[in-house]
């Protein structure tokens, strides 16, 4: 039976490989950085179990490791890592043609199929996936299947997948970790009462009896918090708990489905404007080795601002129909 922890161990093995390669090349900060993350992924279940049992030491060690990661990130420098010669890559691209898109397209296709059919997937009488949220295990398994497909299509040795993955990982550097960290930030903010504080602040500053004022506060707040945290998923629980539920849904009768869906899309306009959205904005600039790390953001601003305004109008029209 597959659980998400099994894929964490696979990821930990890859991160250890990346750390080992960096150690061989004398990039000690990179080696320790990826090695620490590998240990955190591999021991996550043990730390959680120990914490539930009342032993706080493993959790404290994990916290110390996170602090050390932040310190190591200041020592990591983006460097070009050698890849195959351009002539070889062009020849391979011409030989494979559109087959190159196959592995990438397999990831969403396999993920959706597993999510839809996951309950029916069995080996003999044993379910293939454990009960609970199947989306993350489905995505992880789809990534492995796509990697195998890429090896088959390109006829490269399997180790090439790990080598190229490590090259991309070190090209991105510490920014590769930002999406994972930022995704947890919304839950931390919601648990610490930030939503209630936002609600009290908004009620004191804007006329709470005006649906337009509350809607603007919610929509623009989604954009602002996304700019700060880099992820609309992190902003959503804060703004929904602070403004969406108490003011727009309960007080003004907004439709929860329309408010949530369009509010999330509105928040992603902030994703286009911020370097905190590392996977969207910093990572492409690093992979393309652009001189200006904010070049992607500059190109997206003329789209982000009009799209934000259109979303605000749609949200008002559809949430209060």
């Amino acid at each position: 039976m597959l659980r998400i922890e099994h894929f964490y161990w696979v990821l930990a093995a890859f991160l250890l490989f990346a750390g080992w390669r960096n150690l061989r090349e004398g990039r000690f900060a990179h080696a320790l950085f990826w090695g620490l993350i590998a240990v955190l992924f591999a021991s996550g279940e043990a730390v959680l179990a120990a914490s539930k049992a009342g032993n706080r030491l493993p959790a404290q060690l994990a916290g110390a490791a996170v602090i050390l990661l932040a310190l190591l990130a200041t020592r990591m420098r983006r460097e070009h890592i050698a890849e195959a010669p351009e002539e070889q890559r062009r020849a391979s691209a011409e030989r494979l043609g559109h087959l190159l898109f196959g592995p990438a397209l397999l990831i969403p296709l396999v993920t959706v199929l597993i999510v839809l059919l996951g309950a029916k997937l069995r080996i003999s009488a044993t379910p293939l996936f454990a009960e609970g949220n199947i989306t993350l295990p489905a995505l992880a398994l789809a990534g492995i299947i796509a990697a195998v497909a890429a090896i088959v299509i390109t006829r490269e040795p399997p180790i090439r997948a790990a080598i190229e993955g490590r090259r991309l990982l070190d090209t991105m550097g510490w920014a590769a970790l930002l999406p994972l960290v930022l995704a947890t930030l919304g839950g931390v903010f919601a648990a610490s009462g930030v939503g209630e504080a936002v609600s009290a602040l908004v009620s004191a500053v804007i006329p709470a009896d005006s649906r337009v004022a509350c809607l603007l506060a919610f929509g623009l707040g989604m954009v602002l918090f996304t700019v700060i945290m880099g992820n609309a998923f992190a902003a959503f629980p804060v703004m929904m708990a602070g403004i969406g539920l108490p003011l727009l849904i309960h007080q003004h009768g907004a439709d929860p489905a329309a408010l949530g869906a369009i509010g999330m899309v509105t928040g992603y306009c902030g994703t286009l404007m911020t370097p905190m959205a590392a996977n969207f904005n910093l990572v492409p600039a690093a992979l393309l080795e652009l001189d200006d790390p904010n070049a992607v953001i500059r190109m997206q601003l003329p789209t982000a601002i009009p799209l934000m305004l259109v979303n605000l109008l749609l949200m008002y029209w559809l949430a209060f129909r």
Side-chain angles (χ1 to χ4, degrees), residues 99-119:
L99 285 176
L100 286 171
F101 293 101
L105 295 175
L106 274 177
I107 296 176
L109 177 61
V110 173
T111 302
V112 171
L113 288 176
I114 292 177
V115 170
L116 294 177
L117 305 174

Side-chain angles (χ1 to χ4, degrees), residues 1-18 34-35 37-49 137 140-141 144:
M1 184 179 295
L2 292 176
R3 295 180 293 130
I4 190 61
E5 289 80 9
H6 297 142
F7 298 104
Y8 287 164
W9 297 335
V10 174
L11 181 57
F14 167 68
L15 290 168
L16 282 175
F17 173 79
W34 301 126
I37 299 175
V39 171
L40 289 174
F41 270 107
S43 63
E45 190 176 13
V47 170
L48 181 61
L141 182 58
I144 293 175

Side-chain angles (χ1 to χ4, degrees), residues 82-109:
E83 54 185 322
E86 184 177 354
E87 297 79 9
Q88 181 180 337
R89 287 183 279 125
R90 285 185 178 276
S92 178
E94 291 175 1
R95 175 175 61 85
L96 296 171
H98 294 308
L99 285 176
L100 286 171
F101 293 101
L105 295 175
L106 274 177
I107 296 176
L109 177 61

Side-chain angles (χ1 to χ4, degrees), residues 14-311:
F14 167 68
L15 290 168
L16 282 175
F17 173 79
W20 173 70
R21 295 280 297 207
N22 277 292
L23 186 63
R24 287 184 57 189
E25 296 170 8
R27 293 152 54 92
F28 301 113
H30 292 71
L32 185 55
F33 187 86
W34 301 126
L36 274 175
I37 299 175
V39 171
L40 289 174
F41 270 107
S43 63
E45 190 176 13
V47 170
L48 181 61
S51 298
K52 288 181 177 179
N55 184 359
R56 306 303 302 175
L57 183 58
Q60 291 169 348
L61 290 176
V66 171
I67 295 174
L68 182 56
L69 288 175
L71 296 175
L72 287 170
T74 65
R75 306 296 302 171
M76 297 172 70
R77 298 290 183 266
R78 191 181 77 184
E79 300 175 14
H80 178 74
I81 298 176
E83 54 185 322
E86 184 177 354
E87 297 79 9
Q88 181 180 337
R89 287 183 279 125
R90 285 185 178 276
S92 178
E94 291 175 1
R95 175 175 61 85
L96 296 171
H98 294 308
L99 285 176
L100 286 171
F101 293 101
L105 295 175
L106 274 177
I107 296 176
L109 177 61
V110 173
T111 302
V112 171
L113 288 176
I114 292 177
V115 170
L116 294 177
L117 305 174
K120 301 178 181 179
L121 298 176
R122 296 175 177 272
I123 299 177
S124 297
T126 305
L128 182 59
F129 293 93
E131 293 183 2
N133 186 359
I134 198 175
T135 305
L136 282 179
L139 178 61
L141 182 58
I144 293 175
I145 292 173
V148 172
I151 292 170
V152 172
I153 290 172
T154 59
R155 301 175 186 173
E156 293 284 347
I159 191 63
R160 178 59 60 184
I163 292 173
E164 289 300 310
R166 175 260 171 173
R167 183 181 63 79
L168 289 176
L169 188 66
D170 274 323
T171 300
M172 292 184 285
W174 59 263
L177 199 62
L178 266 181
L180 182 148
V181 176
L182 294 173
T184 65
L185 197 54
V188 173
F189 277 15
S192 60
V194 174
E196 290 79 1
V198 169
S199 178
L201 179 62
V202 170
S203 299
V205 173
I206 69 170
D209 57 346
S210 170
R211 65 169 57 170
V212 174
C214 292
L215 186 73
L216 286 174
F218 175 73
L220 296 177
M222 278 293 300
V223 174
L224 178 60
F225 268 76
T226 301
V227 167
I228 294 172
M229 296 189 283
N231 194 313
F233 281 110
F236 187 77
V238 175
M239 298 310 300
M240 186 57 76
I243 302 175
L245 279 173
L247 298 180
L248 288 170
I249 295 175
H250 292 160
Q251 182 171 328
H252 294 289
D255 177 44
L259 186 70
I262 305 176
M264 183 69 77
V265 176
T266 305
Y268 274 113
C269 294
T271 300
L272 301 175
M273 307 178 190
T274 175
M276 292 298 288
N279 51 331
F280 290 102
N281 300 329
L282 294 186
V283 169
L287 292 177
L288 296 173
E289 300 183 359
L290 302 179
D291 293 332
D292 181 5
N294 296 315
V296 174
I297 297 175
R298 297 182 195 280
M299 293 298 296
Q300 291 172 165
L301 280 176
T303 299
I305 295 174
L307 184 60
M308 177 187 70
L309 298 176
V310 170
N311 282 331

